[in-house]
Amino acid sequence: IAGITQAPTSQILAAGRRMTLRCTQDMRHNAMYWYRQDLGLGLRLIHYSNTAGTTGKGEVPDGYSVSRANTDDFPLTLASAVPSQTSVYFCASSPGEGTDTQYFGPGTRLTVL
Amino acid sequence: GQNIDQPTEMTATEGAIVQINCTYQTSGFNGLFWYQQHAGEAPTFLSYNVLDGLEEKGRFSSFLSRSKGYSYLLLKELQMKDSASYLCAVVDSNYQLIWGAGTKLIIKP
């Protein structure tokens, strides 16, 4: 693989179900991010990780959790999905924090019914 | 609060020039990014400005005025493939990216 990948590409989920969105990068970037993108709104940061073993909360963290066990993987878990979590989810990575360019995965389109 | 303003939608003609504006009010400023996002795809990096002035990169240029809280992206010799959304994002005092909602650019033949 080259760059950053996400799985699944799309998913329809019943409300109340647990779901993990996967994100893997092979660029050895230290920082990784999860965003959601909704029509008419900018990208909103859910959680981030500046380096393996550390995570932080973004603008809209409620209902989501993340882990960063190693450099390459940064899964996002919805413990009990709700319809308001219907969105397109993008994972991104950057060499370092702050002003480094972020590189985005292809996204996961999630629908919660 | 923090705010990034961009026009929602713009229309331009193939071969012409278009300027997409972005104004911001943020807690601190550590640079401004422009990204391009085609429909159904991921955002991709276009430019980064941290100092005032114009940065030119082929058909695309980006301008920044920190005193005015203002940036623009200038696209020259428009091509149909430039039809996309253009996202403005500011790095705030906590070194986090604050994103605008994006400007959808429609190119007509």
Side-chain angles (χ1 to χ4, degrees):
Chain A
I1 55 173
I4 184 164
T5 59
Q6 293 184 235
T9 302
S10 65
Q11 182 76 43
I12 299 174
L13 190 65
R17 296 297 295 270
R18 180 183 178 88
M19 176 74 191
T20 295
L21 308 185
R22 301 185 298 279
C23 175
T24 300
Q25 53 103 359
D26 66 353
M27 298 177 283
R28 309 304 295 171
H29 285 174
N30 284 317
M32 296 187 75
Y33 313 86
W34 274 105
Y35 291 96
R36 60 178 291 172
Q37 187 175 42
D38 303 291
L39 201 62
L41 300 176
L43 287 162
R44 291 184 292 169
L45 183 65
I46 304 170
H47 285 285
Y48 65 93
S49 169
N50 288 331
T51 190
T54 69
T55 62
K57 293 181 179 180
E59 180 187 356
V60 289
D62 293 344
Y64 306 95
S65 63
V66 292
S67 61
R68 187 88 184 278
N70 57 59
T71 298
D72 299 345
D73 301 300
F74 191 43
L76 176 74
T77 297
L78 289 68
S80 179
V82 295
S84 62
Q85 292 178 311
T86 294
S87 188
V88 180
Y89 290 85
F90 287 103
C91 180
S93 71
S94 61
E97 310 160 30
T99 59
D100 280 0
T101 298
Q102 293 186 15
Y103 298 87
F104 285 79
T108 293
R109 183 174 295 275
L110 182 67
T111 302
V112 182
L113 301 176
Chain B
Q2 310 209 86
N3 196 47
I4 310 284
D5 285 318
Q6 306 178 234
T8 302
E9 186 174 296
M10 299 180 70
T11 302
T13 304
E14 190 177 15
I17 299 172
V18 71
Q19 178 175 310
I20 301 173
N21 295 326
C22 171
T23 58
Y24 61 90
Q25 301 92 37
T26 56
S27 58
F29 178 84
N30 286 295
L32 185 146
F33 285 91
W34 284 97
Y35 278 77
Q36 180 189 60
Q37 185 177 24
H38 286 101
E41 298 184 8
T44 56
F45 169 78
L46 286 177
S47 68
Y48 172 69
N49 294 65
V50 66
L51 299 176
D52 289 350
L54 186 68
E55 299 247 356
E56 298 186 69
K57 194 183 295 185
R59 294 189 298 115
F60 291 13
S61 302
S62 55
F63 171 83
L64 175 67
S65 169
R66 289 172 296 172
S67 62
K68 295 182 179 178
Y70 168 69
S71 173
Y72 67 72
L73 183 69
L74 191 71
L75 291 73
K76 303 176 185 175
E77 302 168 15
L78 286 170
Q79 302 175 10
M80 297 304 293
K81 68 179 182 179
D82 297 330
S83 291
S85 289
Y86 292 86
L87 313 181
C88 173
V90 171
V91 185
D92 72 5
S93 57
N94 293 319
Y95 288 91
Q96 298 225 334
L97 273 181
I98 309 300
W99 294 83
T103 299
K104 182 178 182 180
L105 178 63
I106 299 167
I107 309 297
K108 295 187 173 179

